[in-house]
Amino acid sequence: YWEIYNAYEAALSFYREGREKLMNIYEREAPAPEEIGAVALGRPYCVLQNTMNKGIVDLLESLSIKVFYQDMLPLHKENFDEIDPLLKRIHWNYAAKILKAALFAARTPNLYPVLITSFKCSPDSFTIEYFKRIMEQYGKPYLILELDEHDSNVGYETRIEAAVRSF
């Protein structure tokens, strides 16, 4: 029992330290007033793996955009009262994380959300709708990229360049 308990505690400590380091990166590298930053929103295996994300994060960085992942944002410091009723009804962990990060980005000058999804019929389908509503309420430009294994990177590149001009 104690070996399992200690292993669990060590894993939790490792996880917390890693999360803290991620948030320190955002706080250290947050876009200056003259810079544009993007926050990649979505499920980690979709956003963080180049085989899944078709190099979207790299494309943004090649345009001199600082890119952050939703786990890097200091969401623990935010007040989410305005979307709290929605968060209470959402039973999906990543949907709630995406919407919290979207609200953070909507409120943050020079930080623009890029929602990366590969799901057309799942919790992501309605998450997209709420995501759009949050962005529209704040008048904030955004980009939604629904990945398809048959799409080429050129199509994404064109959409990203257009979004960056909008940002």
Side-chain angles (χ1 to χ4, degrees):
Y1 172 80
W2 288 109
E3 288 177 18
I4 294 170
Y5 173 81
N6 289 333
Y8 178 77
E9 288 298 315
L12 247 149
S13 177
F14 177 79
Y15 173 77
R16 287 185 188 127
E17 288 173 19
R19 296 262 313 150
E20 189 174 315
K21 287 177 183 177
L22 286 175
M23 286 185 273
N24 288 340
I25 292 170
Y26 175 78
E27 291 181 355
R28 184 179 66 242
E29 299 291 330
E34 68 279 356
E35 294 178 314
I36 294 175
V39 59
L41 308 176
R43 298 169 187 277
Y45 50 85
C46 190
V47 175
L48 300 176
Q49 292 182 357
N50 278 341
T51 55
M52 287 287 290
N53 73 21
K54 308 244 182 201
I56 289 168
V57 173
D58 295 335
L59 287 170
L60 285 162
E61 289 177 342
S62 74
L63 297 170
S64 300
I65 305 296
K66 287 184 176 181
V67 183
F68 304 95
Y69 180 58
Q70 65 198 24
D71 285 354
M72 298 172 132
L73 304 177
L75 301 179
H76 65 285
K77 298 179 181 179
E78 291 293 307
N79 179 333
F80 295 105
D81 287 349
E82 70 185 275
I83 62 169
D84 195 47
L86 174 61
L87 295 174
K88 286 181 181 176
R89 291 179 177 219
I90 291 179
H91 303 287
W92 294 276
N93 181 45
Y94 287 116
K97 284 183 176 185
I98 290 166
L99 294 176
K100 285 179 179 181
L103 184 57
F104 179 90
R107 293 174 176 167
T108 305
N110 301 333
L111 185 64
Y112 298 91
V114 177
L115 178 57
I116 303 170
T117 179
S118 58
F119 304 94
K120 292 186 180 184
C121 6
S122 73
D124 284 7
S125 61
F126 65 82
T127 302
I128 290 170
E129 188 58 38
Y130 291 119
F131 169 83
K132 288 178 182 178
R133 290 181 188 183
I134 291 169
M135 294 302 114
E136 289 165 8
Q137 180 180 350
Y138 281 84
K140 188 93 174 220
Y142 59 89
L143 177 61
I144 298 173
L145 296 171
E146 290 187 15
L147 304 178
D148 182 338
E149 65 184 278
H150 303 293
D151 288 345
S152 75
N153 290 16
V154 175
Y156 296 121
E157 189 173 342
T158 303
R159 292 189 60 206
I160 289 168
E161 288 171 353
V164 169
R165 282 192 294 275
S166 172
F167 299 165

